[in-house]
Short mmCIF file of all heavy atoms in Angstrom, two decimals:
data_model
loop_
_atom_site.label_atom_id
_atom_site.label_comp_id
_atom_site.label_asym_id
_atom_site.label_seq_id
_atom_site.Cartn_x
_atom_site.Cartn_y
_atom_site.Cartn_z
N HIS A 1 0.81 -1.23 0.00
CA HIS A 1 0.03 -0.01 0.01
C HIS A 1 0.82 1.25 0.01
O HIS A 1 0.30 2.38 -0.19
CB HIS A 1 -0.92 0.01 1.23
CG HIS A 1 -1.85 -1.18 1.29
ND1 HIS A 1 -2.90 -1.34 0.42
CD2 HIS A 1 -1.85 -2.26 2.06
CE1 HIS A 1 -3.51 -2.46 0.64
NE2 HIS A 1 -2.89 -3.06 1.70
N PHE A 2 2.13 1.10 0.22
CA PHE A 2 3.03 2.30 0.37
C PHE A 2 4.11 2.31 -0.67
O PHE A 2 5.21 2.90 -0.44
CB PHE A 2 3.62 2.31 1.80
CG PHE A 2 2.56 2.33 2.84
CD1 PHE A 2 2.14 1.18 3.49
CD2 PHE A 2 1.92 3.53 3.17
CE1 PHE A 2 1.16 1.22 4.45
CE2 PHE A 2 0.92 3.60 4.11
CZ PHE A 2 0.52 2.39 4.78
N THR A 3 3.87 1.78 -1.84
CA THR A 3 4.88 1.77 -2.91
C THR A 3 4.17 1.85 -4.23
O THR A 3 2.97 1.49 -4.36
CB THR A 3 5.73 0.49 -2.81
OG1 THR A 3 6.69 0.48 -3.86
CG2 THR A 3 4.93 -0.77 -2.89
N ASN A 4 4.94 2.28 -5.24
CA ASN A 4 4.40 2.27 -6.61
C ASN A 4 4.58 0.87 -7.25
O ASN A 4 4.08 0.65 -8.32
CB ASN A 4 5.11 3.30 -7.43
CG ASN A 4 4.75 4.70 -7.01
OD1 ASN A 4 3.66 4.96 -6.48
ND2 ASN A 4 5.67 5.65 -7.12
N GLU A 5 5.31 0.02 -6.60
CA GLU A 5 5.55 -1.30 -7.13
C GLU A 5 4.21 -2.07 -7.06
O GLU A 5 3.52 -2.08 -6.03
CB GLU A 5 6.56 -2.02 -6.24
CG GLU A 5 7.17 -3.22 -6.84
CD GLU A 5 8.35 -3.74 -5.99
OE1 GLU A 5 8.51 -3.30 -4.84
OE2 GLU A 5 9.07 -4.58 -6.49
N LYS A 6 3.80 -2.69 -8.15
CA LYS A 6 2.49 -3.28 -8.24
C LYS A 6 2.47 -4.79 -7.95
O LYS A 6 1.41 -5.36 -7.72
CB LYS A 6 1.87 -3.05 -9.65
CG LYS A 6 1.70 -1.57 -9.96
CD LYS A 6 0.70 -0.92 -8.99
CE LYS A 6 0.56 0.57 -9.34
NZ LYS A 6 0.19 1.32 -8.23
N HIS A 7 3.62 -5.44 -8.07
CA HIS A 7 3.68 -6.91 -7.97
C HIS A 7 4.98 -7.33 -7.38
O HIS A 7 6.03 -6.66 -7.54
CB HIS A 7 3.48 -7.52 -9.34
CG HIS A 7 3.70 -8.99 -9.38
ND1 HIS A 7 4.89 -9.57 -9.68
CD2 HIS A 7 2.83 -10.01 -9.09
CE1 HIS A 7 4.79 -10.87 -9.63
NE2 HIS A 7 3.55 -11.18 -9.27
N ILE A 8 4.98 -8.42 -6.74
CA ILE A 8 6.23 -9.00 -6.15
C ILE A 8 6.12 -10.53 -6.15
O ILE A 8 4.99 -11.11 -6.25
CB ILE A 8 6.47 -8.47 -4.73
CG1 ILE A 8 7.91 -8.65 -4.35
CG2 ILE A 8 5.50 -9.12 -3.74
CD1 ILE A 8 8.31 -7.78 -3.14
N PHE A 9 7.26 -11.22 -6.17
CA PHE A 9 7.32 -12.64 -6.08
C PHE A 9 7.66 -13.03 -4.65
O PHE A 9 8.32 -12.28 -3.94
CB PHE A 9 8.38 -13.24 -6.97
CG PHE A 9 8.03 -13.15 -8.46
CD1 PHE A 9 8.48 -12.06 -9.23
CD2 PHE A 9 7.25 -14.15 -9.08
CE1 PHE A 9 8.12 -11.97 -10.54
CE2 PHE A 9 7.01 -14.04 -10.43
CZ PHE A 9 7.40 -12.94 -11.20
N ALA A 10 7.26 -14.19 -4.26
CA ALA A 10 7.70 -14.75 -2.97
C ALA A 10 8.13 -16.22 -3.17
O ALA A 10 7.34 -17.02 -3.74
CB ALA A 10 6.55 -14.68 -1.92
N ASN A 11 9.33 -16.53 -2.76
CA ASN A 11 9.83 -17.88 -2.84
C ASN A 11 9.33 -18.62 -1.61
O ASN A 11 9.35 -18.10 -0.49
CB ASN A 11 11.33 -17.89 -2.88
CG ASN A 11 11.89 -17.30 -4.13
OD1 ASN A 11 11.41 -17.56 -5.25
ND2 ASN A 11 12.91 -16.49 -3.99
N LEU A 12 8.86 -19.83 -1.81
CA LEU A 12 8.34 -20.65 -0.69
C LEU A 12 8.66 -22.11 -0.97
O LEU A 12 8.28 -22.64 -1.99
CB LEU A 12 6.85 -20.43 -0.57
CG LEU A 12 6.07 -21.25 0.43
CD1 LEU A 12 6.49 -20.85 1.83
CD2 LEU A 12 4.56 -21.02 0.29
N GLY A 13 9.38 -22.72 -0.10
CA GLY A 13 9.71 -24.17 -0.26
C GLY A 13 8.52 -25.05 0.06
O GLY A 13 7.64 -24.67 0.83
N ASP A 14 8.50 -26.23 -0.57
CA ASP A 14 7.40 -27.11 -0.34
C ASP A 14 7.34 -27.64 1.09
O ASP A 14 6.24 -27.88 1.62
CB ASP A 14 7.36 -28.27 -1.38
CG ASP A 14 8.63 -29.15 -1.27
OD1 ASP A 14 9.69 -28.61 -1.12
OD2 ASP A 14 8.47 -30.38 -1.39
N GLY A 15 8.43 -27.78 1.70
CA GLY A 15 8.48 -28.23 3.13
C GLY A 15 7.81 -27.18 4.01
O GLY A 15 6.97 -27.51 4.86
N THR A 16 8.15 -25.92 3.81
CA THR A 16 7.53 -24.85 4.58
C THR A 16 6.08 -24.73 4.21
O THR A 16 5.19 -24.51 5.06
CB THR A 16 8.28 -23.52 4.35
OG1 THR A 16 9.63 -23.66 4.76
CG2 THR A 16 7.63 -22.40 5.10
N TYR A 17 5.74 -24.83 2.89
CA TYR A 17 4.37 -24.79 2.47
C TYR A 17 3.54 -25.77 3.24
O TYR A 17 2.43 -25.48 3.76
CB TYR A 17 4.26 -25.06 0.98
CG TYR A 17 2.82 -25.20 0.46
CD1 TYR A 17 2.12 -24.10 0.05
CD2 TYR A 17 2.19 -26.45 0.49
CE1 TYR A 17 0.81 -24.19 -0.38
CE2 TYR A 17 0.87 -26.55 0.10
CZ TYR A 17 0.20 -25.43 -0.36
OH TYR A 17 -1.10 -25.56 -0.79
N PHE A 18 4.03 -26.97 3.39
CA PHE A 18 3.27 -28.05 4.05
C PHE A 18 2.90 -27.71 5.50
O PHE A 18 1.81 -28.00 5.93
CB PHE A 18 4.04 -29.38 3.97
CG PHE A 18 3.21 -30.55 4.42
CD1 PHE A 18 2.35 -31.16 3.60
CD2 PHE A 18 3.36 -30.99 5.76
CE1 PHE A 18 1.58 -32.23 4.03
CE2 PHE A 18 2.59 -32.06 6.21
CZ PHE A 18 1.69 -32.69 5.38
N HIS A 19 3.90 -27.19 6.26
CA HIS A 19 3.59 -27.03 7.67
C HIS A 19 3.11 -25.60 8.06
O HIS A 19 2.44 -25.44 9.06
CB HIS A 19 4.79 -27.39 8.58
CG HIS A 19 6.02 -26.55 8.40
ND1 HIS A 19 6.10 -25.24 8.74
CD2 HIS A 19 7.22 -26.88 7.92
CE1 HIS A 19 7.33 -24.77 8.47
NE2 HIS A 19 8.02 -25.76 8.01
N SER A 20 3.43 -24.59 7.24
CA SER A 20 2.93 -23.23 7.68
C SER A 20 2.81 -22.24 6.53
O SER A 20 2.10 -21.26 6.63
CB SER A 20 3.85 -22.66 8.77
OG SER A 20 5.18 -22.55 8.29
N GLY A 21 3.50 -22.48 5.45
CA GLY A 21 3.52 -21.53 4.34
C GLY A 21 2.15 -21.37 3.64
O GLY A 21 1.84 -20.33 3.05
N TYR A 22 1.34 -22.44 3.70
CA TYR A 22 0.03 -22.39 3.13
C TYR A 22 -0.79 -21.26 3.75
O TYR A 22 -1.59 -20.58 3.04
CB TYR A 22 -0.68 -23.75 3.33
CG TYR A 22 -2.06 -23.83 2.82
CD1 TYR A 22 -2.36 -23.67 1.46
CD2 TYR A 22 -3.12 -24.10 3.68
CE1 TYR A 22 -3.65 -23.76 0.99
CE2 TYR A 22 -4.44 -24.21 3.21
CZ TYR A 22 -4.67 -24.04 1.83
OH TYR A 22 -5.96 -24.12 1.37
N LEU A 23 -0.58 -20.98 5.02
CA LEU A 23 -1.29 -19.90 5.68
C LEU A 23 -0.89 -18.53 5.15
O LEU A 23 -1.68 -17.61 5.10
CB LEU A 23 -1.07 -19.97 7.20
CG LEU A 23 -1.64 -21.24 7.89
CD1 LEU A 23 -1.24 -21.25 9.34
CD2 LEU A 23 -3.13 -21.27 7.68
N ALA A 24 0.40 -18.35 4.77
CA ALA A 24 0.84 -17.13 4.16
C ALA A 24 0.12 -16.88 2.84
O ALA A 24 -0.25 -15.77 2.53
CB ALA A 24 2.36 -17.16 3.93
N ILE A 25 -0.04 -17.95 2.06
CA ILE A 25 -0.79 -17.81 0.81
C ILE A 25 -2.25 -17.47 1.06
O ILE A 25 -2.81 -16.57 0.40
CB ILE A 25 -0.66 -19.12 -0.03
CG1 ILE A 25 0.80 -19.29 -0.45
CG2 ILE A 25 -1.58 -19.05 -1.21
CD1 ILE A 25 1.06 -20.62 -1.15
N ARG A 26 -2.86 -18.10 2.04
CA ARG A 26 -4.23 -17.78 2.36
C ARG A 26 -4.37 -16.30 2.83
O ARG A 26 -5.34 -15.66 2.54
CB ARG A 26 -4.77 -18.71 3.46
CG ARG A 26 -4.86 -20.16 2.89
CD ARG A 26 -5.52 -21.09 3.89
NE ARG A 26 -6.99 -20.82 3.82
CZ ARG A 26 -7.81 -21.18 4.78
NH1 ARG A 26 -7.36 -21.77 5.84
NH2 ARG A 26 -9.07 -20.89 4.67
N GLN A 27 -3.36 -15.85 3.53
CA GLN A 27 -3.35 -14.44 4.00
C GLN A 27 -3.30 -13.52 2.82
O GLN A 27 -3.95 -12.46 2.80
CB GLN A 27 -2.20 -14.21 4.99
CG GLN A 27 -2.01 -12.83 5.47
CD GLN A 27 -1.18 -11.93 4.60
OE1 GLN A 27 -1.28 -10.75 4.67
NE2 GLN A 27 -0.35 -12.49 3.71
N ALA A 28 -2.47 -13.85 1.82
CA ALA A 28 -2.37 -12.99 0.59
C ALA A 28 -3.67 -12.97 -0.13
O ALA A 28 -4.06 -11.90 -0.68
CB ALA A 28 -1.22 -13.55 -0.27
#
């Protein structure tokens, strides 16, 4: 909300995705 940048990438490993990263995606 505080930048002119419109898009960004986020790297996420499948191990982290399995135990907690999925929640970061749901938050997005």
